[in-house]
C-alpha cells in the first residue's frame, strides 16, 4: 500500500519505519526543517531502541522517504492511507491543543481536493485527541471519498519499535467498513488482536488507558507515603498486591511522580473534557494532585537532608522522565531542579542521554559528562531516573567524591543495605 504519515516524532517515525518494513511505500512528512534535514541524512533527533536500523534499511530499499510538509500534496494524494501523528500538547486550561491536527488536515484536504482522482482513501487519526474530534474533522473538512478513522497509539517511549510490532491490541474506531478492512489488512503482518469500536469510543479509550496508568502510579505513591510513616515497605506491598490476578504487577512502582509527554497531558485533557460535559472528574483531579505533591515531597526530602549537613550542593543523577529515553517533556526532574534553584541550591547533574536537552530547559545547572564527575563536592546525591548505571554504581568511589555521604533515592534504585555499608545516609521511597 501507499502510506503517508504526517509528523515525524516518536509516534510518526516509528509508525512510518515499521509500515515500510512490512513492504509498504511510505512517505513521512515533517514541517520542522531541522528535523527533516537530519532525517534525510538518517539522523534521528531522539533515542529509540532499534529505530536507527529500521530507518536505514527501509531508506536504502527506497520504501521510506521524507518530505517537507510544504511540498507534500503529491505524497498525500498518492496515498491509500494517511496517518496523522502530530503532537497534541495541552493548553494552559488543560484542553488538548488541536492546532497541529488542523494544520495537518488542511494539508490533507488541499492535497486530495487538488489532485483530481476519486480513489477511496483512509485518513487515520493516530494522535491522541478528545472524543468527538474525528466527527468534527469529518464535518469541517468534508473530504471527498475519504473515511476518517481513529486508531490511537499505545506505544511506550524507549520500547516504541517493539511495542508497535507486538501490541497488546490495536484499537480501530471506524464508522466505515471499507476503511476498517483496509486498516486490518495493513496491520495483518502483526497478527495482533484488533478491537473494533466507534470513533468516539476509540478516542476515549486512549485517554482512559493513560489515566488508568496514571491512577496506578498515584495510588502506589500515596500508599508509599503511608509506608514511610508506618514503617511498612512499599516494595513488599507492591509484590503482595501485584500477584493478585485482578490487580497485576505493572505500574506499581513508587517514585517521584509520573511525567513524560503523555500521562500528565492526557489526564488534564480528560478532566477538561469531563468538565465540558458537566462531569466533576473527582478521581482524575486527585490523580493529578497526588502526582504534583509527590514531586514536592521529594524536593522537601532533599532540602531537609541539606539542612542537616549544612550544605547546598545537590548532584542529580537522571534527568529524562524515565530510563531508555532522552525525553524531558514534563519530566519531574525539571520542576524539582527549579524548586531547588529557588532555594539557592547549586546543582550538578548527569544523565546518560539527556544532558544536552536538559541544558536548553535549565541552563543554570552544571551538566557533567559522567556520574562520578557530577558528584564532586556534592552534599546530597538525588537519584531521579532509573538508569541501570546508577543501580550498579560503585558506592565507595561515589562517596570519595562527595562532601557529605547522603543519598536521597527517588526511584528506590540503589541497594539501601550496600549504601549504608558504604557509609551513606540513605533515604528511598516508601521504605522505613
Ligand atoms: P512529537 O512532538 O514527537 O512529534 C510530532 C511531530 O509532528 C513533530 O516533529 C512536529 O514537527 C510534526 N508536525 C506537527 N505539525 C505538522 C504538520 N502539519 N505537518 C508535518 N509535521 C508536523 O509527538 P509524539 O510524541 O510523536 O506524539 C504524537 C501524538 O501521539 C500525540 O498526540 C501523542 O499524545 C500521541 N502519543 C504519543 C506517544 C509517545 O510516547 N510519545 C505514545 C502514544 C501516543
Amino acid at each position: 500500500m501507499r502510506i503517508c504519515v504526517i509528523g515525524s516524532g516518536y509516534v510518526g517515525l516509528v509508525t512510518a519505519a515499521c509500515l515500510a518494513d512490512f513492504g509498504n511505500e511510505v512517505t513521512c512528512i515533517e514541517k520542522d526543517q531541522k528535523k527533516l534535514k537530519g532525517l534525510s541524512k538518517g539522523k534521528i533527533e531522539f533515542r529509540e531502541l532499534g529505530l536507527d536500523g529500521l530507518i536505514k534499511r527501509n531508506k536504502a530499499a527506497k520504501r521510506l522517504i521524507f518530505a517537507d510538509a510544504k511540498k507534500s500534496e503529491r505524497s498525500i494524494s498518492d496515498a491509500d492511507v494517511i496517518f496523522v501523528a502530530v503532537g497534541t500538547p495541552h493548553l494552559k486550561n488543560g484542553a488538548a491543543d488541536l492546532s497541529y491536527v488542523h494544520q495537518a488536515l488542511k494539508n490533507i484536504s488541499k492535497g486530495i481536493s487538488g489532485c483530481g482522482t476519486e480513489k477511496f482513501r483512509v485518513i487515520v487519526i493516530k494522535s491522541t485527541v478528545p472524543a468527538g474530534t474525528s466527527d468534527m474533522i469529518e464535518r469541517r473538512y468534508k473530504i471527498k471519498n475519504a473515511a476518517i478513522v481513529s486508531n490511537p497509539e499505545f506505544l511506550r517511549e524507549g520500547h516504541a519499535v517493539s511495542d508497535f510490532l507486538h501490541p497488546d491490541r490495536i484499537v480501530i474506531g471506524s464508522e466505515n467498513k471499507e476503511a476498517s478492512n483496509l486498516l486490518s489488512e495493513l496491520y495483518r503482518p502483526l497478527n495482533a488482536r484488533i478491537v473494533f469500536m466507534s470513533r468516539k469510543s476509540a478516542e476515549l479509550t486512549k485517554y482512559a488507558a493513560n489515566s488508568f496508568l496514571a491512577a496506578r502510579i498515584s495510588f502506589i505513591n500515596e500508599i508509599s507515603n503511608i509506608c514511610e510513616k508506618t514503617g511498612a515497605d512499599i516494595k513488599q506491598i507492591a509484590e503482595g498486591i501485584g500477584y493478585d490476578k485482578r490487580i497485576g504487577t505493572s505500574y506499581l512502582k513508587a517514585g517521584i511522580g509520573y511525567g513524560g509527554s503523555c500521562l500528565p497531558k492526557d489526564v488534564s485533557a480528560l478532566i477538561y473534557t469531563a468538565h465540558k460535559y458537566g462531569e466533576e472528574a473527582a478521581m482524575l483531579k486527585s490523580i493529578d494532585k497526588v502526582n504534583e505533591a509527590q514531586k514536592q515531597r521529594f524536593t522537601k526530602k532533599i532540602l531537609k537532608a541539606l539542612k542537616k549537613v549544612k550544605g547546598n550542593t545537590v548532584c542529580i543523577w537522571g534527568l529524562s522522565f524515565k530510563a531508555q529515553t532522552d525525553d524531558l517533556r514534563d519530566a519531574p526532574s525539571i520542576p524539582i531542579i527549579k524548586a531547588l534553584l529557588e532555594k539557592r541550591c547549586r546543582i550538578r547533574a548527569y544523565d546518560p542521554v539527556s544532558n544536552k536537552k536538559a541544558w536548553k530547559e535549565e541552563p543554570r545547572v552544571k551538566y557533567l559528562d559522567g556520574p562520578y564527575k557530577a558528584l564532586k563536592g556534592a552534599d546530597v546525591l538525588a537519584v531521579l531516573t532509573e538508569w541501570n548505571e546508577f543501580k550498579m554504581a560503585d558506592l565507595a568511589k561515589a562517596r570519595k567524591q562527595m562532601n557529605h555521604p547522603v543519598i536521597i533515592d527517588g526511584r528506590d534504585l540503589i541497594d539501601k543495605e550496600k549504601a549504608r555499608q558504604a557509609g551513606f545516609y540513605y533515604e528511598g521511597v516508601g521504605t522505613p
Side-chain angles (χ1 to χ4, degrees), residues 160-331:
V161 173
S162 156
D163 283 353
F164 189 93
L165 295 175
H166 309 283
D168 293 335
R169 78 313 200 180
I170 291 170
V171 168
I172 296 181
S174 169
E175 321 295 337
N176 180 304
K177 191 83 194 133
E178 199 181 340
S180 305
N181 290 343
L182 199 72
L183 258 196
S184 308
E185 180 57 19
L186 183 63
Y187 284 131
R188 193 158 55 91
L190 295 175
N191 276 327
R193 175 187 292 139
I194 300 184
V195 187
F196 294 98
M197 56 180 77
S198 72
R199 289 191 300 214
K200 277 184 185 161
S201 300
E203 289 162 341
L204 196 51
T205 296
K206 173 65 191 175
Y207 284 103
N210 272 359
S211 298
F212 195 76
L213 296 174
R216 286 179 73 100
I217 297 172
S218 279
F219 176 82
I220 204 71
N221 281 338
E222 191 157 292
I223 301 292
S224 87
N225 298 342
I226 301 172
C227 284
E228 288 178 5
K229 295 280 163 69
T230 56
D233 185 329
I234 194 64
K235 277 188 181 159
Q236 293 172 3
I237 291 169
E239 224 185 329
I241 62 173
Y243 290 139
D244 186 327
K245 285 196 195 77
R246 295 168 301 177
I247 296 173
T249 52
S250 62
Y251 281 74
L252 283 186
K253 196 145 185 337
I256 55 173
Y258 59 79
S261 69
C262 291
L263 298 194
K265 83 162 170 71
D266 290 351
V267 172
S268 302
L270 189 52
I271 294 172
Y272 184 88
T273 300
H275 286 178
K276 190 173 139 191
Y277 290 96
E279 289 300 321
E280 162 74 17
M283 185 161 163
L284 293 171
K285 283 194 260 181
S286 299
I287 296 168
D288 182 48
K289 196 172 159 197
V290 170
N291 196 52
E292 287 310 305
Q294 196 68 7
K295 291 181 246 178
Q296 288 162 17
R297 187 183 180 92
F298 184 68
T299 311
K300 278 186 195 150
K301 279 186 187 173
I302 299 171
L303 291 170
K304 201 171 151 198
L306 284 173
K307 204 170 167 194
K308 246 187 202 162
V309 299
K310 297 190 172 55
N312 75 339
T313 304
V314 182
C315 167
I316 303 280
W317 274 5
L319 298 160
S320 49
F321 83 93
K322 64 172 186 178
Q324 313 308 333
T325 180
D326 59 353
D327 201 349
L328 282 166
R329 291 179 287 183
D330 263 323

Side-chain angles (χ1 to χ4, degrees), residues 6-12 29-32 35 46 69 85-88 100 103-104 107 126-129 153-157 206 261-262 265-266 327 329:
I6 303 188
S8 308
Y10 289 85
V11 170
I29 290 169
E30 176 54 51
K31 66 165 194 172
D32 179 328
K35 225 180 229 185
F46 53 87
V86 297
T88 48
Y100 300 110
Q103 215 176 60
N107 281 358
K126 232 185 197 326
S127 299
T128 304
V129 294
E153 182 52 61
F154 298 95
L155 59 76
R156 295 162 302 164
E157 281 178 27
K206 173 65 191 175
S261 69
C262 291
K265 83 162 170 71
D266 290 351
D327 201 349
R329 291 179 287 183

